[in-house]
Amino acid sequence: MVSKKITLKKINLALQGGGSHGAFTWGVLDALLEDGRFDIEGISATSAGSMNAVVMAAGYIKGGVEGARTYLKQFWREVSDAGSVFCPVSNLAVDNPFSSFIPKWMTPDWLGMGINLGGENPAMQMMTALAQNISPYQFNPLNLNPLRDILDEMVDFDALRRNKDFKLFITATNVRTGGSRIFTSSELTRDMVLASAALPNVFQAVEIDGEAYWDGGYVGNPSLWPLFYETDGIDLVIVHVNSIVQNTLPKDAMNIEDRVNEITFNSAMLKEMRAIGFVQKLLQRDMLKPEYRNKYRDVLMHAIRADSVMRDFSMATKLDTSWPLLTRLFDAGRKTAKSWADENFDKIGKMSSIDLEKDYLNIAVDEKSKVK
């Protein structure tokens, strides 16, 4: 029997950050790699998404598809092991696998306080109040960051810079200007990846070429435009971790802060989506002047969304690096990605599988969707 040759379909990926919820993206990537029908060309990513992108690429260089899958699992296993040494405490750290690095002995139980401030984690709540008034330059003067050691161990950045299998675009925020900086594969270093995940209430700014950088989520979570201009593929798949719509009104401090962060970290992406929708209309209606037509191209948009999945995971789980939680998120990511691939594979290269206006830009508010 002659085996049927699989025709690969080229896609570009946009990976959001989201703390430990980045394990959902791990599951998505694992499923897409296992599927075998996709040719991943470019990856734009921020924070936890950047970690996933860089580790996947490093694993692929070492051992192809199976190497990429193995590296991703190893990375999250090491994140879990490192997280068990520390007590995550800051509810502001929604975009890093670790929120802070306060030893476990600094908990209310150890202090004998016996105080329950409400919510799921009294230690987190207590230290959150401190984190709002104490900077990482004070509580972490040595600038400790387990992610630095994990990246040093797992990623050969020299090989990554030479590699042509994936085009990587890693976003960070310039502290001085407030603008975005996109670090590309050919220049990528460990510090650039750490900068993409440097939440200012948790980590000291990362200095690169004389400039200080913070988490990229403020200016692009993730940045979409590099995938339009720097790749050949026309299909862009956004892997969401942060909910766009929240149907429950947050009423406690942690969940209010969580929703504020979701809105903040989605805003830059939604602005880009509006720009995409505008250009698409101009192209469809042939409204561009001849001299501008070659500068723009129609992009097919797709999304793997975690909204329904994340309803089962509270704010505290963004800071939880326990292995059972990470593997549960991984399983959810795999299941969601498999369903998406089965439903939308035939649309790749032909049409978008989402409606920008309906699904993102003009989200209707009816009686069922109002916050309660």
Side-chain angles (χ1 to χ4, degrees):
M1 180 181 294
V2 178
S3 60
K4 185 178 180 180
K5 184 178 179 180
I6 298 176
T7 301
L8 298 180
K9 290 195 175 184
K10 186 174 293 186
I11 60 173
N12 293 308
L13 298 177
L15 310 181
Q16 284 196 321
S20 294
H21 289 185
F24 175 88
T25 303
W26 162 33
V28 169
L29 294 174
D30 188 80
L32 295 179
L33 289 165
E34 181 187 55
D35 186 284
R37 295 178 292 173
F38 298 100
D39 175 15
I40 301 172
E41 180 188 7
I43 306 175
S44 182
T46 297
S47 202
S50 299
M51 300 292 169
N52 277 316
V54 168
V55 169
M56 185 186 81
Y60 191 90
I61 293 170
K62 286 286 187 179
V65 168
E66 290 308 311
R69 297 177 68 195
T70 298
Y71 261 49
L72 283 166
K73 182 176 182 179
Q74 180 184 339
F75 170 78
W76 285 100
R77 177 78 259 188
E78 294 201 19
V79 163
S80 180
D81 291 343
S84 68
V85 180
F86 302 101
C87 175
V89 297
S90 172
N91 75 321
L92 299 177
V94 300
D95 219 33
N96 288 282
F98 305 99
S99 60
S100 182
F101 302 111
I102 308 300
K104 281 190 173 180
W105 50 263
M106 290 182 65
T107 64
D109 288 342
W110 182 85
L111 294 171
M113 295 174 64
I115 299 174
N116 189 329
L117 302 178
E120 299 180 30
N121 190 329
M124 188 190 306
Q125 300 244 352
M126 180 190 74
M127 296 309 297
T128 292
L130 294 177
Q132 292 174 344
N133 296 284
I134 303 176
S135 84
Y137 296 87
Q138 295 170 306
F139 69 71
N140 186 13
L142 298 179
N143 200 19
L144 301 176
N145 188 343
L147 290 173
R148 182 185 295 115
D149 297 331
I150 295 173
L151 290 176
D152 281 342
E153 174 191 346
M154 296 191 66
V155 181
D156 181 344
F157 281 94
D158 287 332
L160 197 63
R161 287 189 289 271
R162 295 191 301 268
N163 179 61
K164 304 299 181 183
D165 293 310
F166 302 108
K167 296 178 181 179
L168 302 180
F169 307 95
I170 305 301
T171 301
T173 302
N174 185 306
V175 178
R176 182 176 61 85
T177 67
S180 64
R181 170 73 186 271
I182 311 295
F183 299 108
T184 62
S185 303
S186 61
E187 64 180 334
L188 204 58
T189 65
R190 176 203 64 191
D191 285 349
M192 292 173 182
V193 181
L194 291 175
S196 178
L199 219 26
N201 292 84
V202 179
F203 296 110
Q204 296 182 22
V206 179
E207 185 172 317
I208 300 168
D209 298 331
E211 291 281 5
Y213 292 94
W214 279 335
D215 190 289
Y218 298 105
V219 290
N221 191 25
S223 299
L224 304 180
W225 65 262
L227 300 176
F228 307 152
Y229 300 108
E230 304 295 332
T231 65
D232 298 323
I234 62 172
D235 289 87
L236 192 160
V237 182
I238 303 175
V239 181
H240 292 274
V241 173
N242 300 299
S243 297
I244 294 176
V245 176
Q246 175 59 264
N247 292 331
T248 302
L249 179 65
K251 295 183 179 179
D252 63 68
M254 278 180 56
N255 287 311
I256 290 171
E257 190 65 46
D258 183 36
R259 186 55 184 156
V260 169
N261 281 321
E262 286 180 336
I263 293 170
T264 300
F265 287 126
N266 278 326
S267 63
M269 181 197 67
L270 290 174
K271 287 179 181 178
E272 285 197 81
M273 300 283 263
R274 291 188 183 94
I276 294 168
F278 179 69
V279 171
Q280 286 181 337
K281 284 184 177 180
L282 293 178
L283 291 169
Q284 291 165 3
R285 298 174 184 177
D286 197 22
M287 297 175 65
L288 286 173
K289 293 181 179 180
E291 59 266 32
Y292 294 113
R293 287 172 189 163
N294 292 331
K295 295 183 180 180
Y296 298 97
R297 60 173 180 164
D298 200 2
V299 179
L300 304 181
M301 300 294 296
H302 313 274
I304 299 176
R305 294 180 63 162
D307 299 59
S308 60
V309 172
M310 292 308 172
R311 293 191 188 107
D312 295 331
F313 296 90
S314 69
M315 164 62 192
T317 62
K318 290 185 176 180
L319 312 174
D320 186 349
T321 58
S322 65
W323 189 240
L325 175 81
L326 296 180
T327 53
R328 184 180 167 197
L329 284 161
F330 166 78
D331 290 339
R334 273 184 57 85
K335 181 179 179 181
T336 305
K338 283 185 173 183
S339 296
W340 174 85
D342 290 341
E343 293 173 9
N344 298 291
F345 181 77
D346 291 339
K347 296 178 183 177
I348 302 296
K350 299 177 182 178
M351 61 185 292
S352 295
S353 59
I354 60 173
D355 184 326
L356 283 182
E357 295 265 343
K358 178 182 177 182
D359 297 336
Y360 289 89
L361 308 183
N362 296 322
I363 300 174
V365 178
D366 56 28
E367 291 302 316
K368 292 183 179 180
S369 64
K370 289 180 180 178
V371 294
K372 299 177 181 179

